[in-house]
């Protein structure tokens, strides 16, 4: 389950940021997860509970913002939402390799006190 190692590294960033702010507790962690990131949100939540045990983020709320995939077709100069990792334009059928969004996996903010 690669969500576990991904969550460990994101939690590491969150904990470091909380330390920098002199925080005693992390209340909420916000993540952006792209539809094509290959990450399962439920698995992330599970990993979050496991990783935060015995840290100042224990019991914190995990907020996941899902980002839908968006592709650009250079042939038609239009954007479309690919259903999967193969991005063929619904207008001309040409395969586009220009993914504008949908692969995100990032920590956007944390709430601490
Ligand atoms: Zn096209």
């Amino acid at each position: 389950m690669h969500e576990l190692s991904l969550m460990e590294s994101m939690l590491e960033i969150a904990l470091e940021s909380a330390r920098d702010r002199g925080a005693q507790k992390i209340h909420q962690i916000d993540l952006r997860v792209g539809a094509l990131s290959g990450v399962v949100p439920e698995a992330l939540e599970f990993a979050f509970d496991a990783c935060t045990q015995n840290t100042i983020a224990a019991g914190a709320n995990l907020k996941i913002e899902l980002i839908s995939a968006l592709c650009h077709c250079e042939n038609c100069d239009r954007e479309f939402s690919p259903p999967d990792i193969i991005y063929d334009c619904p207008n001309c059928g040409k395969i586009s390799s220009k993914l504008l969004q949908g692969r995100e996996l990032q920590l956007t903010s944390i709430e601490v006190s």
Side-chain angles (χ1 to χ4, degrees), residues 1 21 34 38 59 102 113:
M1 189 168 92
R21 295 194 222 171
S113 67

Side-chain angles (χ1 to χ4, degrees), residues 73 75-76 89 91-92:
C73 175
N75 199 30
C76 325
C89 172
N91 192 42
C92 69

Side-chain angles (χ1 to χ4, degrees), residues 11-82:
L11 184 64
E12 199 56 48
I13 298 168
L15 291 173
E16 199 172 300
S17 164
R19 262 198 304 272
D20 288 349
R21 295 194 222 171
Q24 307 294 313
K25 179 112 186 84
I26 296 178
H27 298 280
Q28 182 166 306
I29 294 182
D30 289 45
L31 301 180
R32 285 167 80 96
V33 177
L36 302 179
S37 64
V39 167
V40 182
E42 288 77 19
L44 270 185
E45 282 165 11
F46 181 81
F48 182 75
D49 288 342
C51 292
T52 52
Q53 276 177 24
N54 305 317
T55 72
I56 60 166
N61 184 29
L62 178 67
K63 203 169 139 208
I64 297 175
E65 184 192 352
L66 285 170
I67 308 296
S68 58
L70 195 64
C71 228
H72 178 252
C73 175
E74 287 177 354
N75 199 30
C76 325
D77 193 25
R78 60 181 250 173
E79 290 172 1
F80 62 96
S81 180

